[in-house]
Amino acid sequence: MRKAILLTLIMAIKWALTITAQPQCTVTHYDEFSGMAQWYVTQIVQDKQGMMWFATWNGLNRYDGYEFQNFKSQKGDGVDIPSDRIRDLILDKDGQLLCSYDQRVFRFNVKTCRFSPLPAAEEQRMLQVFNQRSYHDKSSDMPFEHRDSAGTLWCIYRDGRLFYQEPGSSDWHSHPSDISPMSYLHYSLTDREGNVWMRSRYGIYKLTFGQQKYQSFEQTGSDQVRSFCLDQKQRYWVTTRDERTIQLYDNRNHLLGYLGRDGRLHANYTSFGSPIYHVMQDSKGVFWLSSKPDGLFRVREGADGRFCIEQYCHEAGNLQTLSDNEIYYTAEDQHGRLWVATFNQGICCVENPWADQLVFLNKDNGLVLPIQKGMRVRQIHITPKGILLAATTTGLVVADVSKAKLEDIQFRLHRRDPKRYGSLSCNAVMFVAEDSRHRLFVCTESGGVNQIISDNLLGDALDFRHFDISTGLSSDITLSAVESGGLLLIVCNNQLILLDADNNTSASYDTHFWGRMMRFSDAIPLLLPDGRRIFGLQDGAITIWPENMKKSSDTPPIALTSISIHGDSVNLAVNGLDTLLLKKPEERDVAITFAALDYRGSGIISYAYQMNDNSGWVDIGKEHTTTFLNLRPGTYQLKIRSTNSDGVWVDNTRVLTIIVKPTFWETRWAQLLYILLLLAFVWGVIYIFRYIRHIKHQQRETHEAYLALLNARQDTEASEQTQKPTKPKMKPDDEAFMQRAMKFIEDHISDLDMNIGDMAEATATSRSGLNRKMKSLLGVTPLDFIREARIRKACAMLSQGAMVKDVAYACGFSDVIYFRKCFKAEIGKTPSEYRDENYGK
């Protein structure tokens, strides 16, 4: 009896310790291996923009939470700095840094990142200030005290020991420290986030203070917690998998005992003997324990506090027993029937679960399941309206179990349809949750959370709204979900997510929030009687007060840390910029690096940027550099925003105006010039086209006129009866040339051996000159003109009734057949046909 009382007292003390949030201090060490230029630091300052500056014996070091940048004297910079050993550092009233060297003081402009000397009088005054500071620093050997935002008082000794005193207590408690005892700490400053920065013999230390957000659940060993259950007496049950225990606690978090297979609660550690995956209490107070691989247990509590335990397993050949011994879940419908989820043989149903002998109906003796073999069911949820939704590895099973007769119940399987976006995102369904507004959410193994948006749950195809990584969720692996404060609290494998489905926003609670790596189990979170929520882990369980899940609203400023243009050297003096002017075409490739100055955890800060208001925000995750290639001329508004170190998006938008100057050929004047040139080109083309048409028309008229003149000379009778053709107007030289050519053709038109050489000689020109002249004046070659003249003469003779043979010889053709061929090609008719049609007219 005394032993049981002692164990109970010990557990009560442990619970009292665990439900109180414990102060935490995280220590981070920086030295040359972290990127600093030198490990010996003489002073630390935070400027007005929030940037950290470290004075070292190798110049100034700037730290933005990601990288260290070194600034010191350079060759030819015109500043006579005696060495790079900075012995002290002060931030003046203008926000600039005053650096103390060996009996010299120089000003460092944090915007231009350049050193400059001080006037002599001001330098002497500052030397006195630095000497006085040095004296006080060496004379102080007391530990440093710091009160954090939670009111905890911390005492930090120079050898690295840490002690804390909680609010309202006078007791000091030791805190584990990662600081080397040989560090010999010197306090430098407390930054805007409450981090304490201390110098040491080797580098610097940053101390970040906070409260442990969770409490570890006290249990024997480190085993996977598999399930929780709050019963009608406000006791809660906790089961483990490998150790196979069932622990009962009262509403004041006192351990009542370990449930044994004998039905008793044991004060000492006792294994139940079977791993329990789920505990459910039905409407009559009977407990149902789902076990893998030991079947189903019915547990009834007697008036004496003892439990009557009955085990039900699959019996080969007996169809009225369980269809499988791997049981994951049980649920009760409005008719009092018990529905059992098995991991290999689908769903079983017990119509009267309170009978002495249980009869299990399954796929082999009454239930018509959509998959008759190998259906693995993880969980069953039944809505207030009697709609059953079963989470299986092959999809979501839906049925109306409000019907009194089992034979009237139809099961439908909903799977991922690759051709339909609104279908289930993943067939491996883990859990189905329903909130107070009766919205249904389906947790999947790798497809995030799917909200059912169909009004008719019994339809052939359900429509889903997806919440996953592509919509802003931080994980696609979702194990279970419960409602918390009107939001959906989702359990993932290594984090928790709080989802606001109405606004599609979420907050993640990951390693940074917990201060350690968490691997959550499939246990459904449970709200305890004292208001805390308990979560199962792969190695135990944790509890957390809902108010501890509130995240910080701190708004860190965003600093520009570097700009690189066209891959050239990096410019570090850019934090003061509000406008970036790019004048040359080769300057249009720009890489911009930035940082949200939150030194509590810069590694988890996420960023997004927007280029002009008409474009959307681009989420770039943890990256803090963005690159723009081949920017077009114009003015851009680059906006950058970020989360804080708690992962909350805050209003800290930094705006940088980027002006890309156009070259002359990209200005409006150039565009106008292009238009004028285009119009001039089009006009030139039109002019040339019309000119060519005019020339060709003129050539055709001249051509026809000279052919008519030639015919008129040869037909004296026609010339007397008809008006004589007029000569076309042309230059005297050209007219004389044509007269000679016409005279030659008229005299030799019937000669069989007439050739171009003779004609060139007659016209006093060369063969090529003759060809060019005829082409330019008439648009045809000499041979073409002679051929047309002969055909014209042939037409005239045929019209007068001459014989074809006589016409051929008279027109210079030695072969009548060849004459007929040429005549038809030119006129379209044979000589005989032409004579018959035109003779006598």
Side-chain angles (χ1 to χ4, degrees):
M1 183 66 179
R2 289 181 179 180
K3 186 175 181 181
I5 294 174
L6 181 61
L7 286 172
T8 302
L9 181 61
I10 292 173
M11 292 300 296
I13 293 173
K14 288 182 177 180
W15 267 106
L17 291 174
T18 56
I19 63 175
T20 304
Q22 301 296 311
Q24 282 185 323
C25 177
T26 303
V27 178
T28 308
H29 181 236
Y30 302 97
D31 55 18
E32 68 272 29
F33 298 107
S34 308
M36 293 179 63
Q38 221 272 351
W39 52 263
Y40 189 70
V41 179
T42 58
Q43 193 53 269
I44 305 172
V45 167
Q46 187 175 30
D47 66 20
K48 292 183 178 180
Q49 286 75 37
M51 200 78 75
M52 301 299 300
W53 297 88
F54 308 103
T56 76
W57 280 16
N58 188 21
L60 270 175
N61 278 235
R62 187 184 73 183
Y63 183 58
D64 60 7
Y66 297 96
E67 299 175 301
F68 290 91
Q69 300 292 345
N70 183 233
F71 302 90
K72 57 184 180 180
S73 60
Q74 300 294 328
K75 303 178 185 67
D77 60 4
V79 184
D80 187 17
I81 298 178
S83 73
D84 292 319
R85 287 191 174 191
I86 304 178
R87 298 189 177 277
D88 204 350
L89 190 64
I90 291 177
L91 186 71
D92 69 12
K93 59 182 175 52
D94 297 325
Q96 310 305 325
L97 300 176
L98 296 177
C99 307
S100 172
Y101 293 85
D102 297 328
Q103 298 303 309
R104 292 295 306 274
V105 179
F106 290 85
R107 178 178 283 110
F108 182 82
N109 190 311
V110 297
K111 292 184 178 180
T112 63
C113 296
R114 295 183 64 87
F115 292 93
S116 61
L118 293 180
E122 185 180 357
E123 185 176 27
Q124 289 302 317
R125 182 175 60 83
M126 291 309 305
L127 283 173
Q128 294 177 6
V129 173
F130 280 120
N131 290 334
Q132 189 67 20
R133 282 166 52 91
S134 178
Y135 171 78
H136 285 299
D137 188 51
K138 291 178 180 178
S139 62
S140 176
D141 200 25
M142 297 295 293
F144 173 72
E145 290 187 351
H146 170 75
R147 191 173 296 278
D148 65 21
S149 58
T152 302
L153 182 64
W154 293 84
C155 185
I156 308 167
Y157 285 84
R158 289 204 165 185
D159 60 2
R161 289 176 296 148
L162 296 176
F163 294 88
Y164 66 90
Q165 186 184 78
E166 296 185 83
S169 173
S170 59
D171 298 329
W172 287 94
H173 305 280
S174 175
H175 189 281
S177 173
D178 296 329
I179 302 175
S180 170
M182 304 299 294
S183 294
Y184 198 64
L185 300 178
H186 292 263
Y187 170 77
S188 281
L189 66 85
T190 301
D191 67 21
R192 298 173 183 177
E193 287 82 39
N195 303 302
V196 172
W197 297 79
M198 307 195 80
R199 312 185 313 275
S200 73
R201 287 174 174 168
Y202 302 101
I204 55 179
Y205 286 93
K206 180 186 70 176
L207 283 69
T208 304
F209 303 97
Q211 298 288 313
Q212 182 174 290
K213 302 291 196 307
Y214 66 95
Q215 302 84 41
S216 296
F217 182 80
E218 196 66 32
Q219 65 174 7
T220 303
S222 297
D223 188 16
Q224 182 190 113
V225 171
R226 190 65 199 189
S227 70
F228 307 108
C229 175
L230 183 66
D231 66 21
Q232 297 167 3
K233 294 182 179 180
Q234 294 298 293
R235 301 171 301 188
Y236 58 93
W237 300 48
V238 181
T239 71
T240 62
R241 186 186 66 181
D242 297 333
E243 294 185 352
R244 305 184 178 192
T245 62
I246 303 175
Q247 303 170 56
L248 270 70
Y249 295 85
D250 64 16
N251 59 2
R252 294 177 297 172
N253 305 311
H254 296 150
L255 177 65
L256 299 176
Y258 293 83
L259 180 62
R261 188 64 69 90
D262 58 2
R264 297 177 180 272
L265 288 177
H266 300 264
N268 296 325
Y269 169 81
T270 302
S271 174
F272 182 73
S274 296
I276 302 301
Y277 277 48
H278 180 246
V279 178
M280 188 271 289
Q281 188 177 24
D282 65 23
S283 57
K284 291 191 177 182
V286 177
F287 294 95
W288 298 91
L289 278 56
S290 303
S291 175
K292 175 186 175 182
D294 294 334
L296 183 67
F297 294 88
R298 180 170 66 178
V299 180
R300 290 179 283 192
E301 186 175 10
D304 59 354
R306 292 188 62 178
F307 295 88
C308 175
I309 301 174
E310 302 169 87
Q311 183 177 7
Y312 298 91
C313 297
H314 169 70
E315 298 178 11
N318 188 348
L319 298 181
Q320 295 185 344
T321 63
L322 277 171
S323 59
D324 184 42
N325 285 332
E326 294 189 358
I327 311 300
Y328 265 56
Y329 206 90
T330 55
E332 182 184 17
D333 67 17
Q334 61 195 51
H335 299 291
R337 294 177 297 211
L338 183 71
W339 295 89
V340 183
T342 76
F343 201 61
N344 287 305
Q345 298 298 327
I347 300 172
C348 296
C349 180
V350 180
E351 292 191 282
N352 185 6
W354 307 295
D356 292 337
Q357 297 293 328
L358 299 186
V359 176
F360 293 87
L361 301 176
N362 52 61
K363 62 181 181 61
D364 296 323
N365 62 354
L367 294 183
V368 181
L369 300 178
I371 299 178
Q372 287 296 102
K373 184 177 181 180
M375 188 168 78
R376 300 186 171 191
V377 186
R378 289 191 174 105
Q379 182 244 357
I380 295 174
H381 175 78
I382 301 176
T383 70
K385 293 184 178 181
I387 304 300
L388 178 148
L389 299 102
T392 80
T393 59
T394 51
L396 179 68
V397 174
V398 181
D400 183 4
V401 296
S402 63
K403 297 178 179 179
K405 296 181 179 180
L406 290 180
E407 56 267 25
D408 295 335
I409 298 175
Q410 294 182 348
F411 294 86
R412 292 179 176 85
L413 177 65
H414 299 276
R415 296 171 54 87
R416 175 181 176 272
D417 184 352
K419 297 181 180 179
R420 192 165 64 91
Y421 178 81
S423 69
L424 196 65
S425 64
C426 176
N427 289 332
V429 178
M430 300 294 294
F431 191 83
V432 179
E434 184 173 8
D435 65 9
S436 57
R437 294 161 58 184
H438 302 295
R439 296 181 299 180
L440 292 167
F441 297 91
V442 180
C443 299
T444 68
E445 187 176 67
S446 59
V449 174
N450 293 226
Q451 179 187 354
I452 301 177
I453 58 177
S454 297
D455 294 329
N456 181 16
L457 296 178
L458 301 177
D460 293 332
L462 294 180
D463 291 321
F464 297 87
R465 179 188 179 193
H466 306 300
F467 300 94
D468 51 32
I469 288 179
S470 66
T471 62
L473 216 62
S474 56
S475 177
D476 282 340
I477 304 174
T478 55
L479 306 180
S480 62
V482 293
E483 186 176 15
S484 178
L487 305 178
L488 190 69
L489 181 59
I490 305 168
V491 180
C492 304
N493 63 327
N494 60 356
Q495 60 184 298
L496 302 178
I497 299 175
L498 205 55
L499 172 65
D500 182 352
D502 290 328
N503 300 311
N504 193 19
T505 58
S506 61
S508 61
Y509 301 83
D510 52 15
T511 301
H512 176 77
F513 177 83
W514 304 112
R516 56 161 283 196
M517 290 189 296
M518 297 283 189
R519 287 190 172 90
F520 293 92
S521 70
D522 292 350
I524 306 166
L526 176 68
L527 188 64
L528 299 179
D530 62 4
R532 289 174 302 131
R533 197 174 292 277
I534 187 169
F535 299 89
L537 302 177
Q538 298 292 339
D539 57 353
I542 59 169
T543 62
I544 186 170
W545 296 98
E547 56 266 24
N548 286 348
M549 295 191 72
K550 293 181 179 178
K551 292 202 166 189
S552 169
S553 59
D554 291 346
T555 305
I558 292 181
L560 300 180
T561 56
S562 70
I563 293 179
S564 175
I565 299 176
H566 195 59
D568 292 340
S569 59
V570 177
N571 183 6
L572 302 176
V574 296
N575 194 29
L577 284 181
D578 56 11
T579 301
L580 177 63
L581 182 61
L582 305 176
K583 298 181 179 180
K584 301 177 181 179
E586 61 268 18
E587 293 179 343
R588 296 180 183 181
D589 296 342
V590 182
I592 302 173
T593 303
F594 39 84
L597 302 180
D598 189 338
Y599 298 99
R600 292 174 304 170
S602 57
I604 69 159
I605 295 176
S606 296
Y607 296 89
Y609 72 86
Q610 182 186 56
M611 197 65 146
N612 290 337
D613 294 333
N614 56 355
S615 61
W617 285 93
V618 179
D619 189 353
I620 55 177
K622 305 298 186 294
E623 292 292 328
H624 57 105
T625 298
T626 183
T627 302
F628 302 100
L629 301 177
N630 195 24
L631 286 172
R632 297 181 62 83
T635 300
Y636 301 88
Q637 291 284 331
L638 173 63
K639 297 180 180 180
I640 305 167
R641 67 175 183 175
S642 76
T643 67
N644 58 22
S645 58
D646 263 356
V648 178
W649 288 99
V650 292
D651 186 14
N652 63 345
T653 303
R654 174 72 183 265
V655 180
L656 176 66
T657 301
I658 303 176
I659 301 175
V660 182
K661 284 289 187 181
T663 63
F664 171 77
W665 300 109
E666 296 171 317
T667 62
R668 292 186 180 274
W669 291 108
Q671 294 174 358
L672 179 60
L673 179 60
Y674 293 147
I675 293 173
L676 293 176
L677 290 174
L678 179 61
L679 292 176
F681 175 76
V682 173
W683 180 86
V685 170
I686 295 174
Y687 175 80
I688 293 172
F689 176 74
R690 297 185 64 181
Y691 177 77
I692 293 173
R693 284 181 58 188
H694 173 72
I695 294 297
K696 287 186 176 295
H697 178 71
Q698 192 176 34
Q699 288 174 340
R700 284 196 299 271
E701 287 183 343
T702 305
H703 180 201
E704 290 295 329
Y706 275 103
L707 286 176
L709 284 172
L710 187 63
N711 287 339
R713 289 180 180 181
Q714 295 173 357
D715 190 355
T716 55
E717 183 180 351
S719 62
E720 294 175 356
Q721 296 176 358
T722 61
Q723 186 179 357
K724 188 176 181 179
T726 59
K727 294 182 181 180
K729 294 181 180 181
M730 60 177 57
K731 295 177 182 180
D733 293 343
D734 293 337
E735 186 174 356
F737 169 81
M738 287 302 301
Q739 287 294 335
R740 293 193 296 271
M742 293 288 289
K743 182 70 172 55
F744 175 81
I745 295 173
E746 185 179 357
D747 295 341
H748 299 86
I749 193 168
S750 60
D751 293 349
L752 299 178
D753 56 351
M754 183 176 63
N755 57 67
I756 299 301
D758 295 338
M759 185 177 180
E761 184 178 351
T763 56
T765 185
S766 64
R767 291 172 63 94
S768 59
L770 174 66
N771 192 66
R772 284 195 303 270
K773 200 71 172 176
M774 294 287 286
K775 285 282 289 185
S776 65
L777 293 176
L778 305 180
V780 295
T781 64
L783 286 177
D784 291 334
F785 187 74
I786 293 171
R787 179 177 52 79
E788 290 183 22
R790 285 174 168 172
I791 296 298
R792 289 290 183 94
K793 181 179 180 180
C795 290
M797 293 179 67
L798 290 171
S799 298
Q800 295 173 4
M803 300 299 293
V804 174
K805 181 178 180 182
D806 297 337
V807 172
Y809 293 143
C811 292
F813 291 92
S814 61
D815 185 359
V816 176
I817 297 175
Y818 178 67
F819 167 68
R820 287 195 182 100
K821 182 178 179 182
C822 291
F823 189 91
K824 187 172 183 178
E826 184 72 20
I827 303 301
K829 300 176 181 178
T830 64
S832 300
E833 291 172 344
Y834 184 85
R835 183 186 59 189
D836 295 342
E837 290 180 3
N838 293 277
Y839 176 63
K841 291 184 179 181

